[in-house]
Amino acid sequence: MTKFPLRDQTCFTGQRLEVFGDCENFQDRGFMNRVNSIRVESGAWVCFDHPDFKGQQYMLEKGEYPDFQCWNAHNDHMGSCKPIKMHGEQYRMELYEGQNFTGQCVELCDDCPFLQSTGFSKNCFNSIKVYGDGEPNYRGRMYIVERGNYCLFMDWQAENPNIQSIRRVVNYF
């Protein structure tokens, strides 16, 4: 079982909340939406700065994070989290220029630090199909996209269809 203890103060002190799976709202569990340290005991988790899996996303892999700056957050606001589902399958992702899987398509089977190096001249993708698991963006705004079809860029909670790079989430159990 994957355990994910959160603390409201730095260096693993203060009030503690243990999460074992999807947690849509920390306040529903008696924990304020302020997280200052996290210990990831196994797997990888995606955390959101708002409840209901909304807002800025942060991916945390196995390890210790003694303060919010260690996971590249701008503040200690965090409202929800969930484990990233990893299926151990070979990774493949199809990115489409148009909505609903239309237009030019680029297929990726490996990490891609610069999408334009694939020969695809644009960096706007409006729909994505993920086979296995994936995580776009090395820098800047990050989106976790698990296995599934995303007809519109808003389906993966993006503000716009711009994608610069792709990186797989590796299973570290």
Side-chain angles (χ1 to χ4, degrees):
M1 180 183 299
T2 303
K3 186 166 72 169
F4 189 68
L6 310 154
R7 297 285 188 151
D8 68 349
Q9 295 182 24
T10 60
C11 299
F12 315 105
T13 60
Q15 184 181 358
R16 177 183 172 115
L17 172 66
E18 279 194 3
V19 178
F20 295 94
D22 292 7
C23 185
E24 292 183 24
N25 190 334
F26 296 159
Q27 288 183 341
D28 289 348
R29 308 249 326 256
F31 195 82
M32 297 307 292
N33 291 344
R34 300 180 91 67
V35 176
N36 279 289
S37 54
I38 299 172
R39 187 172 282 125
V40 181
E41 296 183 2
S42 64
W45 290 72
V46 59
C47 300
F48 301 82
D49 63 358
H50 294 290
D52 302 317
F53 312 120
K54 303 283 186 206
Q56 179 71 44
Q57 298 179 14
Y58 303 100
M59 189 184 80
L60 294 113
E61 297 173 297
K62 185 176 181 179
E64 295 189 347
Y65 302 85
D67 65 64
F68 67 83
Q69 293 167 335
C70 293
W71 61 83
N72 295 319
H74 299 291
N75 57 49
D76 64 355
H77 294 237
M78 189 178 293
S80 54
C81 69
K82 62 182 178 177
I84 298 174
K85 298 171 186 75
M86 295 184 219
H87 305 282
E89 298 177 10
Q90 186 163 354
Y91 161 83
R92 186 168 64 93
M93 181 180 238
E94 296 171 355
L95 298 101
Y96 293 84
E97 179 182 23
Q99 297 176 4
N100 296 312
F101 317 110
T102 61
Q104 190 174 357
C105 174
V106 62
E107 182 177 307
L108 299 173
C109 295
D110 206 352
D111 296 350
C112 184
F114 185 61
L115 275 172
Q116 290 182 334
S117 68
T118 65
F120 195 78
S121 61
K122 299 179 181 179
N123 65 350
C124 291
F125 297 95
N126 282 286
S127 51
I128 298 175
K129 290 184 179 182
V130 180
Y131 307 91
D133 298 296
E135 169 216 334
N137 292 337
Y138 285 51
R139 300 186 201 295
R141 198 169 255 299
M142 177 186 70
Y143 306 99
I144 304 294
V145 289
E146 296 178 307
R147 180 189 303 169
N149 296 335
Y150 302 84
C151 294
L152 300 166
F153 63 87
M154 293 170 284
D155 291 348
W156 66 85
Q157 297 185 19
E159 295 173 358
N160 61 59
N162 294 327
I163 298 174
Q164 297 292 325
S165 56
I166 304 288
R167 185 174 73 92
R168 292 174 291 167
V169 176
V170 181
N171 191 344
Y172 291 111
F173 289 102

